[in-house]
Amino acid sequence: MKKAIIGKKVGMTQIFDENGNVIPVTVVEAGPCVVTQKKTEETDGYSAVQLGYGDVKESKLSKPEAGHLKKAGVAPKKYLKEFKLENAADMNVGDVVAADTFAAGDKVDVTGISKGHGYQGVVKRHGAGRTPMTHGGGPVHRHAGSMGASSHQSRIFPGKIGAGQMGNEQVTIENLDVVKVDPELNMIVIKGAIPGPKGGVVYLRNTVKNNKVKQAGADISKNPQKMSGRNPQKASARS
């Protein structure tokens, strides 16, 4: 992992590019984050840094948290998260990680806690179909219905869809584009939607996806049985 930061989801809006196209974006207030702990190969067996985000009163922290931050000489922080950065060995406790760590054009993975929807049935939670609405269907149109045969296996297997808690779980959206970065406002603008409600804490890191640049003519096949192999010029014209 090359770079990472902790932020807060501000909300969604839209911006226009130089060609006048509308781009739906999510605004994230990213950082500033402070390095609150450094882990090294000698002492911990791996290299990483712990980042702290969000000022909070010391009275709001537990005694272990307050003591941990006081030992580091850092002001009380509400959120702590460890990242295994490639340059962790070059960072020190007290260093500041700001929004300008990222730049427009970067690809990021965003992790957050999705919106909670409470206890929901199978229709909303899993997209199950309703029972017929006519001919005496009764007041059970959104119920789960039959779960299988009664004689064998005579039970419901684990993992079968059913009603239950929906949302409020960790979700990661990968390979999103950073459209704009404003260091003065600690703002990172990301194309598309990210998990969580407004004000929810999110974690940004460079994407794990391998984004290869497609070269011209890469879709031309050498197989003579394919159209692109028989007529390369026609295939290259499509690209």
Side-chain angles (χ1 to χ4, degrees):
M1 190 189 308
K2 294 182 180 179
K3 43 192 176 182
I5 198 170
I6 308 173
K8 180 174 66 176
K9 180 178 176 180
V10 177
M12 290 198 69
T13 182
Q14 60 186 23
I15 61 176
F16 297 87
D17 63 8
E18 60 275 5
N19 297 323
N21 298 319
V22 177
I23 303 175
V25 296
T26 303
V27 179
V28 176
E29 180 187 324
C33 298
V34 181
V35 177
T36 57
Q37 187 179 15
K38 178 180 178 180
K39 297 195 174 182
T40 61
E41 295 283 351
E42 295 77 15
T43 58
D44 304 283
Y46 66 98
S47 181
V49 291
Q50 183 188 75
L51 299 183
Y53 170 73
D55 295 330
V56 66
K57 293 182 180 179
E58 186 176 344
S59 59
K60 298 291 186 180
L61 301 176
S62 65
K63 287 186 177 180
E65 290 173 334
H68 170 67
L69 295 173
K70 190 174 293 184
K71 181 180 178 181
V74 177
K77 298 295 180 183
K78 188 174 183 179
Y79 304 101
L80 301 176
K81 179 72 172 178
E82 185 178 291
F83 298 96
K84 292 183 178 180
L85 301 179
E86 293 180 0
N87 63 336
D90 301 329
M91 303 177 71
N92 297 306
V93 174
D95 289 352
V96 177
V97 179
D100 56 5
T101 302
F102 292 91
D106 288 349
K107 299 277 190 177
V108 295
D109 295 343
V110 182
T111 301
I113 303 298
S114 62
K115 291 182 180 180
H117 294 269
Y119 190 93
Q120 298 297 333
V122 290
V123 175
K124 180 173 181 178
R125 192 177 184 217
H126 296 289
R130 302 178 304 181
T131 59
M133 298 296 289
T134 56
H135 301 290
V140 292
H141 303 296
R142 296 175 67 91
H143 288 200
S146 175
M147 287 289 184
S150 59
S151 60
H152 183 75
Q153 296 284 340
S154 298
R155 68 188 182 91
I156 298 175
F157 287 99
K160 179 69 174 177
I161 66 172
Q165 167 66 34
M166 181 179 176
N168 193 31
E169 58 187 3
Q170 181 172 295
V171 178
T172 298
I173 306 296
E174 297 180 340
N175 209 29
L176 297 176
D177 294 312
V178 175
V179 179
K180 183 180 179 181
V181 176
D182 191 332
E184 296 182 0
L185 298 176
N186 298 319
M187 182 178 69
I188 297 179
V189 180
I190 301 172
K191 182 179 179 180
I194 65 174
K198 295 178 182 177
V201 174
V202 292
Y203 305 101
L204 280 67
R205 54 177 66 84
N206 59 294
T207 185
V208 297
K209 296 286 187 180
N210 186 11
N211 293 285
K212 295 182 179 179
V213 179
K214 188 175 181 181
Q215 297 180 352
D219 57 343
I220 298 177
S221 175
K222 296 181 180 179
N223 187 349
Q225 294 182 346
K226 291 187 175 181
M227 178 62 74
S228 59
R230 295 196 299 271
N231 192 346
Q233 293 183 350
K234 188 173 181 180
S236 61
R238 289 201 304 268
S239 60

